[in-house]
């Protein structure tokens, strides 16, 4: 059929014929400068300390398979049907029980099921934010949240943190100056436990102070807590939501405590917000995946999920210890790193003059990969930082990875000493459109 040229994209000679048609909000979505390297980093000879994939090899797969078999034969008619936009009532009841582990008392009616907590972030942002609104987040913060905020043309203001979490005075000052500028600050996004990317946990005292600043300034708090139950030391610190129900929207997920492939997360929100989120969920998906909810409920009912979390904890503890040991052994002087008490990540600060993004190609050539710190800032900061994850490789590979990384850092320092500080920054990496890396 001969279409007029104006509506026939195939006749257009530009690389992307729809370039003039995309919504404004897509303009903030950019290709990561490190994507090209990650396709190389996924090769088996490279020790990847970059990915944030949960390590699910210890799950009892044969028994799970049998349970899923029974689920389809015995309850498949319901489990494979459309469901409630808010999520299945039995799933929400189970979630109340899971959240009680972290001191949260909630009613199933106040929960909305989502496709992972990533979709929870999307629903919350689309419910609250117009273009130009401000969201506050930790500096640094989760790369996937930064991506969501950008997709809704939100201005991200990152607040200083230290080894106890967000600095309350910095939060207070940011609120005062943003308000003075007439900005609409919609919420604070925070990951209080074993933060992605730093591994830092907010102390109980900090949590109280942050909630006090929020109350003082009328700030809503979005608490993202996918790692909370993966504590490797003491019992979990009470969630912000357990201390303040009306001002906190809580995001949870089964991705780290069970398996991410089911894509089941949730939002626990004050009543009015929950109504809006349910409408947003219906508009987005009609209903969150019903089969996944049946599958997870089956797991929670028929397996000892608390004992399984203990198995995960032991496995991650060994890996965390291997990484801390490897770093102590192999990092050059003046390198510092955080000491995570749970979760997946260690945040490294390099000696002055080293640039983690510029250095990445050499690290990959030396067969070790990490995520440069710049990925976790909205404004290009973080070039002296890197995120290392210990969740996936074996302890031996983790130690070997830190050894390789140590060698790269030592040789980068020598180059700097020979040719002057900043030499490494000149070997800047070009981007390309290879598949998206797993830097979640
Ligand atoms: N929040 C944080 C802090 C994360 O690290 C991740 C995934 N790595 C998510 C949310 C999204 O997880 P999911 O959608 O699998 O629940």
């Amino acid at each position: 059929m001969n279409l007029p040229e104006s509506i026939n994209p195939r006749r257009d000679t530009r690389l992307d014929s729809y370039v003039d048609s995309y919504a404004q909000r897509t303009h903030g979505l950019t290709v990561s400068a490190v994507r090209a390297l990650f396709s190389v980093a996924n090769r088996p000879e490279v020790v990847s300390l970059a990915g944030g994939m949960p390590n699910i090899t210890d799950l009892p797969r044969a028994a799970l398979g049998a349970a899923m078999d029974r689920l389809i034969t015995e309850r498949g008619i319901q489990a494979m049907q459309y469901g409630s936009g808010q999520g299945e009532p039995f799933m929400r009841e189970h979630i109340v029980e899971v959240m009680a582990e972290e001191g949260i008392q909630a009613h199933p009616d106040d929960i909305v099921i989502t496709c992972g907590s990533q979709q929870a972030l999307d629903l919350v942002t689309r419910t609250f934010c117009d273009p130009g609104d401000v969201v506050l987040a930790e500096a640094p913060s989760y790369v996937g949240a930064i991506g969501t905020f950008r997709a809704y043309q939100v201005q991200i203001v990152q607040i200083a943190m230290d080894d106890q979490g967000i600095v309350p005075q910095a939060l207070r000052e940011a609120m005062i100056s943003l308000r003075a500028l007439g900005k609409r600050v919609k919420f604070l996004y925070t990951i209080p436990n074993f933060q992605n990317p730093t591994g830092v946990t907010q102390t109980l005292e900090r949590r109280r102070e942050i909630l006090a600043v929020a109350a003082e300034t009328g700030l809503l708090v979005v608490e993202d807590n996918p790692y909370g139950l993966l504590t490797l030391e003491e019992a979990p610190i009470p969630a912000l939501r357990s201390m303040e129900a009306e001002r906190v929207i809580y995001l949870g997920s089964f991705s780290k405590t069970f398996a991410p492939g089911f894509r089941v997360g949730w939002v626990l929100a004050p009543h009015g917000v929950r109504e809006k989120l349910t409408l947003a969920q219906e508009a987005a998906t009609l209903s969150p995946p019903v089969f996944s909810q049946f599958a997870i409920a089956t797991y929670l009912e028929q397996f000892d999920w608390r004992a399984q979390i203990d198995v995960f904890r032991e496995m991650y503890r060994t890996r965390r210890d291997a990484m801390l040991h490897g770093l102590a052994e192999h990092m050059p002087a003046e390198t510092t790193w955080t000491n995570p008490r749970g979760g997946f990540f260690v945040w490294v600060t390099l000696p002055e003059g080293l640039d983690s993004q510029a250095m990445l190609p050499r690290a990959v050539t030396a067969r070790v990969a990490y995520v440069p710190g710049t990925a976790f800032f909205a404004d290009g900061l973080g070039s002296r930082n890197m995120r290392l994850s210990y969740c996936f490789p074996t302890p031996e590979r983790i130690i070997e990875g830190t050894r390789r990384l140590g060698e790269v850092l030592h040789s980068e320092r020598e180059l700097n000493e020979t040719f002057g500080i900043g030499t490494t920054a000149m070997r800047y990496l070009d981007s390309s459109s290879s598949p998206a890396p797993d830097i979640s």
Side-chain angles (χ1 to χ4, degrees):
M1 184 170 68
N2 279 338
L3 291 170
E5 201 154 326
S6 59
I7 58 164
N8 183 357
R10 275 169 300 176
R11 300 277 290 274
D12 199 317
T13 51
R14 286 175 302 184
L15 206 53
D16 180 354
S17 15
Y18 295 103
V19 81
D20 297 327
S21 306
Y22 294 127
Q24 282 279 339
R25 79 180 80 88
T26 66
H27 296 176
L29 305 175
T30 51
V31 177
S32 154
V34 293
R35 271 195 184 191
L37 267 182
F38 277 107
S39 54
V40 184
N42 285 334
R43 290 190 191 147
E45 66 272 20
V46 176
V47 177
S48 181
L49 306 176
M53 279 195 304
N55 192 331
I56 54 173
T57 37
D58 288 336
L59 281 173
R61 275 166 293 151
L64 270 169
M68 293 305 129
D69 199 347
R70 286 195 302 275
L71 169 61
I72 294 191
T73 0
E74 290 163 19
R75 290 192 292 161
I77 299 294
Q78 288 160 283
M80 295 190 290
Q81 190 49 273
Y82 285 120
S84 147
Q86 191 182 347
E88 301 309 301
F90 63 79
M91 186 75 258
R92 291 186 274 114
E93 274 162 31
H94 278 304
I95 286 170
V96 166
E97 217 182 301
V98 172
M99 288 192 296
E101 300 280 313
E102 292 185 78
I104 297 175
Q105 294 198 332
H107 195 281
D109 283 357
D110 293 330
I111 294 169
V112 181
I113 308 290
T114 56
C115 305
S117 46
Q118 189 64 35
Q119 199 216 5
L121 272 167
D122 185 282
L123 296 182
V124 169
T125 312
R126 79 163 72 174
T127 299
F128 280 94
C129 297
D130 290 310
D133 284 350
V134 173
V135 164
L136 307 178
E138 282 132 354
S141 185
Y142 168 49
V143 64
I146 293 176
T148 301
F149 302 148
R150 281 204 175 121
Y152 287 99
Q153 299 168 285
V154 163
Q155 189 189 341
I156 305 159
V157 174
Q158 290 183 284
I159 310 291
M161 61 184 288
D162 59 20
D163 60 358
Q164 301 186 12
I166 291 174
V167 177
Q169 188 54 19
L171 179 62
R172 183 178 288 110
E173 282 164 16
M175 281 303 285
I176 293 168
S177 44
L178 286 163
R179 288 263 164 81
L181 288 169
K183 293 280 185 188
R184 287 178 315 237
V185 183
K186 287 301 172 71
F187 56 81
L188 165 69
Y189 168 71
T190 178
I191 309 157
N193 291 315
F194 326 125
Q195 197 232 17
N196 182 357
T198 61
V200 163
T201 297
Q202 263 167 33
T203 58
L204 184 59
E205 187 51 29
R206 274 294 163 89
R207 291 176 198 223
R208 292 201 178 109
E209 287 171 347
I210 289 164
L211 286 174
V213 176
E216 221 174 85
T217 56
L219 179 63
L220 177 67
V221 177
V222 175
E223 173 178 32
D224 187 10
N225 187 30
Y227 303 99
L229 289 178
L230 293 181
T231 173
L232 306 182
E233 311 283 346
E234 53 273 307
I237 299 177
L240 292 166
R241 170 56 175 72
S242 72
M243 304 182 216
E244 166 61 72
E246 276 308 303
R247 194 173 290 289
V248 178
I249 296 178
Y250 178 91
L251 316 186
S253 174
F254 287 105
S255 291
K256 276 72 184 191
T257 49
F258 179 35
F262 293 99
R263 309 304 301 126
V264 175
W266 66 92
V267 190
L268 169 66
H271 203 71
V273 179
R274 185 269 285 165
E275 279 294 296
K276 288 277 187 212
L277 292 173
T278 302
L279 292 174
Q281 179 61 293
E282 283 168 358
T285 64
L286 292 184
S287 66
V290 177
F291 188 75
S292 287
Q293 294 174 68
F294 271 82
I296 292 200
T298 301
Y299 172 69
L300 296 173
E301 285 157 17
Q302 297 178 19
F303 291 74
D304 188 348
W305 59 272
R306 290 182 179 86
Q308 182 62 47
I309 290 178
D310 285 339
V311 171
F312 283 143
R313 283 180 182 143
E314 193 49 44
M315 182 264 301
Y316 290 128
R317 188 182 297 114
T318 316
R319 283 165 167 74
R320 188 271 318 261
D321 291 349
M323 176 160 282
L324 293 179
H325 180 78
L327 289 172
E329 186 108 324
H330 300 298
M331 289 300 106
E334 295 155 47
T335 310
T336 59
W337 54 90
T338 54
N339 188 356
R341 302 177 77 76
F344 294 177
F345 308 112
V346 174
W347 183 247
V348 176
T349 303
L350 301 176
E352 202 177 329
L354 295 193
D355 181 323
S356 64
Q357 187 161 355
M359 209 176 80
L360 188 57
R362 281 167 55 96
V364 172
T365 308
R367 295 171 297 132
V368 60
Y370 56 81
V371 186
T374 42
F376 308 97
F377 289 88
D379 57 6
L381 291 175
S383 59
R384 258 180 73 196
N385 296 106
M386 54 176 69
R387 188 193 76 178
L388 302 182
S389 55
Y390 51 79
C391 45
F392 215 77
T394 60
E396 297 70 33
R397 295 268 291 170
I398 290 172
I399 295 197
E400 174 58 15
T402 59
R403 192 192 63 76
R404 292 176 191 175
L405 187 59
E407 275 184 9
V408 175
L409 291 176
H410 281 291
S411 71
E412 291 286 305
R413 285 199 88 181
E414 275 164 30
L415 265 176
N416 270 349
E417 274 155 27
T418 315
F419 299 108
I421 278 185
T423 320
T424 57
M426 287 160 61
R427 292 190 303 270
Y428 197 80
L429 182 69
D430 202 3
S431 65
S432 89
S433 51
S434 54
D438 163 46
I439 58 168
S440 53

